[in-house]
Amino acid sequence: MNSTNETDETNETDGTKAAGAPDETGGPDPSSEPVVAVVGGGRFGWGLADTAARNGRRVVLWSRRPQRPATDQIRVTQELGDLAEAELIFIAVPSPYVGALASQLGEHLDGQHLLVHVSRGMVGAELRPLTAVLRQVTPCRRIGALGGPLVAKALSEGEPGGGVVGTLFPEVREAVREALGGSSLRIYSTDDVAGVEVAMTLVGLLSVATGYARGMGVGPATLAVMATRGMAEAARLGVLLGGKAETFSGLAGFGDLLAAFAGDGRPEVAFGEALALGESPEVAAKRVGANIEGFAVARSFADLIERVGVQAPMTHLLADVLEGKMGGQAMMAALMARSVGAE
Amino acid sequence: MLAGPMSLLSRFLQSPPLRVPTLLAPKVRPGDPRIFSFNGERPHIIHDLVTRVVEQQGRDPERLLYHLNDAANAEVRRLASQRDAEAEVSLDFWRRLLHGLGKMDDDERREALKTIVSRMGEDIAGNFDVRVFGATRRMVPGVLTAIMNPSSLPRELVRSGWPRVDSLVTAEGPIQRLRELAKIGTLVLVPTHASNLDSIALGYLLDREGLPPVVYGAGKNLFSNPIISFFMHNLGAYRVDRRVRARLYKDVLKAYSCLMIERGYHSLFFPGGTRSRSGMVETHLKLGLAGTAVEAFARNVMVGDSRPVFIVPATLNYALCLEAETLIDDWLKGAGQARYIIEDDEFSSIDRMIAFMKKATNLRSAMVIRFGEPLDPFGNPVDGDGRSLTPSGASIDPATYVSRRGVASLDPARDAGYTRELGELLPKIFSRETVVMWTQLVAHVLYRHLVVESPGVDLFGRQRRRGEVGLARTRLVQEVGEARDRLLELESAGEVRVGPVLRNTRPDELVDQALEAWRGYHTKPVAREIGSEIVIEDPNLLLYYQNRLVGFAEALATPDTLAAAREIAALEA
């Protein structure tokens, strides 16, 4: 049995416990629970804030330039110090900004705060996971990463779905379930933090690839091979970086990629499509209105693959394609020309 | 083998804790190290131990029955195959328990649990005799030699000391700060583990540097050396019997080490669990008992005792390792895990011990013990006043890590999380606090040449090339010099430490001294100078010594040797 609770049916009672409307179950009044904090006023940050508010929780959302007005339950602030009153803090800013922002935020926090990031990125050439960054720049230790097929729009609208939180700490798992879990969102958990973070990142990259392939007009069979082989590569890279292979067949891996295929409207796919149609990465990013993390990590992964000699040809070639050094057709030809063996 | 009077002495010393009557023990004075009061507290500690374990494991009847069944089955199996004095005494007890378990009610089972935990506790708990400690101190630094050479003990006892031992072991790191911290909180030393001499050398060095004595768990097999057994019993070591497979035993050990830290006894754990077979610095840590530091801290916070716990990483670096031959053989056999207890190594052979000590005492700084910066149990650095510091340099209350919404609590899952994180942090500290010794660098350069000369050959093929590969002395000297320069650069960047001899000696002398260090102790020559060449005679020992540098192989390489260095670096995986 792996340590991922996703497949463990008995554990799902935890998920449903957090699910019931609080007043009916006679549980604690959620409005008396500690405030939930969100760092980042992008669509995803607001999606998390909306979900917690729908669960009856008070929310404080930090944004440098607030785009949306506060609501009864969601207070908007530009002071990071205001987040200290929360217990659970979601970090929903693009990975390149996490370090500096968390470092400032960390000055207001202590060992009781629980930090959970939702970023699809890893940092630097050495591909540092963001949980490691958070541990380094803040005094917080009870940290986690929330992944899976979560998209901003569905979160804000309360569409049924699920995610997985990777953490070593039971209280982080419980706090995320209490804040977000409910009748419309199932929050599973695993202690394979590294696996979740690599899966989140590489699914981001594969989502871009999916969009790119769609933009090229490839058929369903090609897409299926791409997705399956791509995920096998992701799992290999995940294991290399300290994760467990089975995490990649769960919500953080395949689950997340399936949502991209099913057309969940995520910006990575739109970005990939735009690239295939000849737009520059800058223009494409502007158009989809999001920071595309998958694009930024492609080169670091390609370097890692070369350095270690792990089998991940698709991920390796994707870096060239996304940087415009290689065409989609050439990549396809290169992949198809490889010798084929046991799956 | 010991014979005649020695074997009698051996039996006598090995019998369960040999102690001088406590009635005659001197009074503990204020300001004495915490461990001086151990004997007075011993019965209370065992009482608390029994109460805690019985409360934890005896509450749920199913769990209780499971533990008793598991323990009885495991012990019957072990003792039946051991067939020794211990079996004579205990086997019957376990057999009767196993047969009677089904008929007992819950209260009787709880009583049985109490009896077992209490027996385990008595076996584990050490002893501390201030007089033995005092006598040991007076004999120190001769004692380090004396305990390794029991036949010379009487002679060494009357000597005032052996000054050479003093220069044999060098201490580095924030020692003054550790002295201060030992007064404020409880030190938990977590060093790398290379040799059975580690705990002895550390114990000696702590005393020499004015640091308090520590308690630590020593494998019961170490107690087979009668002199060492005597010292261990009376200097606070507790016994860990690795042959005992009962799950309950692990719980008892954990509870014991937790209680000791809670009560403020400075403690020592080898987080690698066992001696590094390969000679590499540990990268995967079990942590095990060291993990009880978090629980002990949490328990104290819960009862309003905010005495801090300080984790002190340390590296133990030998220019010459007593058990190198056995350890590397074991690693190459891939049997490191299976042979968790090696009973036939150099440590149990008095001849080898004497040969080692003769050799080692002639080397200057044959051993460097380096302490790293102290941390709190949550990986935060601590300042001179023992306050935990955040990344921005502010002080933070470590109690917040074991509290939620202002209330401190016990949570084994949470503490396992902290322990795992500590287990990931420590290898990074070990790596940068590793002190590279001259023998290791010379071995690395020679081994790298062996790899250059045997491209594409697998590890085992390469290890068979005895006496076949040589390197011109002039080139070896040059490459050692270059590698040292690179090592010094790495040291400036804070990535590793360079030992005193390696730093201050000319490359040609380094080569001579490495050959000299290996000659005379190891049963096989590691490398031999033939004409103008240095010929590799024992690739296994060479591998052992060079393995300390695998993590730095690429950084030490020249363009010509980079490919070989990469092959060496891959050994770590």
Side-chain angles (χ1 to χ4, degrees), chain A residues 109-320:
Chain A
L109 307 182
D110 65 27
Q112 295 196 69
H113 289 98
L114 315 174
L115 297 185
V116 173
H117 82 83
V118 295
S119 173
R120 286 192 184 281
M122 297 174 87
V123 189
E126 70 277 33
L127 290 163
R128 289 187 68 212
L130 289 177
T131 50
V133 174
L134 292 174
R135 201 176 303 118
Q136 189 193 0
V137 303
T138 75
C140 304
R141 293 292 175 271
R142 291 181 258 189
I143 294 174
L146 177 64
L150 299 168
V151 284
K153 189 163 167 283
L155 280 176
S156 282
E157 291 170 1
E159 200 179 285
V164 55
V165 59
T167 180
L168 297 179
F169 296 92
E171 50 273 59
V172 172
R173 195 166 70 208
E174 284 155 22
V176 173
R177 277 196 188 126
E178 282 166 17
L180 302 180
S183 53
S184 64
L185 200 64
R186 299 181 68 79
I187 302 292
Y188 296 88
S189 61
T190 171
D191 65 3
D192 181 16
V193 187
V196 167
E197 292 187 284
V198 177
M200 288 164 79
T201 306
L202 284 176
V203 169
L205 176 61
L206 288 172
S207 301
V208 176
T210 305
Y212 194 97
R214 285 229 180 103
M216 283 169 60
V218 306
T222 316
L223 280 174
V225 174
M226 203 184 87
T228 313
R229 298 315 307 158
M231 195 49 74
E233 288 185 11
R236 229 171 274 144
L237 290 164
V239 170
L240 187 72
L241 293 171
K244 294 178 187 158
E246 53 262 37
T247 301
F248 290 78
S249 50
L251 276 182
F254 251 118
D256 194 8
L257 188 60
L258 279 174
F261 268 68
D264 66 353
R266 69 179 65 185
E268 286 86 354
V269 176
F271 176 80
E273 277 173 347
L275 286 188
L277 297 175
E279 272 182 22
S280 71
E282 296 76 29
V283 175
K286 207 166 210 174
R287 189 144 66 86
V288 302
N291 187 303
I292 303 300
E293 308 256 15
F295 181 73
V297 294
R299 178 51 56 197
S300 304
F301 269 102
D303 290 344
L304 172 77
I305 291 161
E306 257 175 53
R307 204 166 57 236
V308 186
V310 65
Q311 281 278 324
M314 199 167 103
T315 316
H316 190 214
L317 291 175
L318 266 174
D320 284 347

Side-chain angles (χ1 to χ4, degrees), chain A residues 87 111-112 135 139 141-142 171, chain B residues 378 380 400-401 403-404 406:
Chain A
E87 180 187 51
Q112 295 196 69
R135 201 176 303 118
R141 293 292 175 271
R142 291 181 258 189
E171 50 273 59
Chain B
F378 314 99
N380 296 303
T400 57
Y401 292 98
S403 307
R404 198 172 170 202

Side-chain angles (χ1 to χ4, degrees), chain B residues 93-312:
Chain B
F93 166 82
W94 289 106
R95 281 198 170 130
R96 267 185 290 128
L97 177 70
L98 196 57
H99 291 140
L101 259 182
K103 292 182 221 102
M104 290 182 184
D105 63 24
D106 285 346
D107 284 339
E108 287 169 324
R109 285 178 186 156
R110 223 162 275 131
E111 269 311 304
L113 180 69
K114 221 167 153 179
T115 309
I116 295 169
V117 175
S118 159
R119 286 170 76 141
M120 286 178 171
E122 287 289 349
D123 189 60
I124 291 167
N127 190 53
F128 188 87
D129 195 296
V130 178
R131 289 155 300 175
V132 175
F133 181 70
T136 313
R137 281 179 112 168
R138 283 191 296 279
M139 293 187 291
V140 163
V143 74
L144 187 62
T145 320
I147 53 180
M148 289 177 203
N149 185 358
S151 60
S152 73
L153 187 62
R155 192 158 37 88
E156 295 303 330
L157 277 174
V158 294
R159 269 195 181 190
S160 57
W162 192 345
R164 272 181 300 181
V165 178
D166 235 8
S167 61
L168 176 70
V169 187
T170 309
E172 292 183 358
I175 291 165
Q176 179 52 34
R177 193 135 60 90
L178 295 178
R179 286 186 201 122
E180 297 300 322
L181 291 180
K183 294 178 200 151
I184 305 168
T186 309
L187 305 183
V188 174
L189 258 55
V190 281
T192 57
H193 197 6
S195 164
N196 280 337
L197 295 179
D198 289 354
S199 46
I200 301 164
L202 248 173
Y204 156 72
L205 184 100
L206 291 176
D207 189 58
R208 189 184 84 188
E209 299 296 326
L211 287 161
V214 291
V215 294
Y216 62 100
K220 205 168 178 176
N221 52 318
L222 295 194
F223 286 75
S224 58
N225 179 322
I227 306 295
I228 287 180
S229 168
F230 177 77
F231 280 100
M232 283 186 169
H233 275 320
N234 291 295
L235 296 178
Y238 52 93
R239 299 202 287 184
V240 179
D241 192 342
R242 286 168 174 168
R243 296 168 304 181
V244 180
R245 294 268 160 230
R247 279 155 215 256
L248 187 62
Y249 186 67
K250 271 193 184 156
D251 294 327
V252 176
L253 268 177
K254 282 201 165 172
Y256 183 81
S257 72
C258 186
L259 272 165
M260 294 303 278
I261 301 172
E262 264 172 86
R263 285 172 169 255
Y265 289 94
H266 305 298
S267 300
L268 158 71
F269 302 98
F270 292 107
T274 179
R275 289 169 293 171
S276 166
R277 297 296 192 261
S278 61
M280 291 178 202
V281 180
E282 292 100 325
T283 50
H284 301 287
L285 299 182
K286 298 166 61 144
L287 238 50
L289 292 180
T292 56
V294 179
E295 184 190 333
F297 175 72
R299 283 184 182 272
N300 279 348
V301 171
M302 284 171 69
V303 295
D305 177 356
S306 57
R307 185 181 170 88
V309 171
F310 304 117
I311 307 289
V312 184

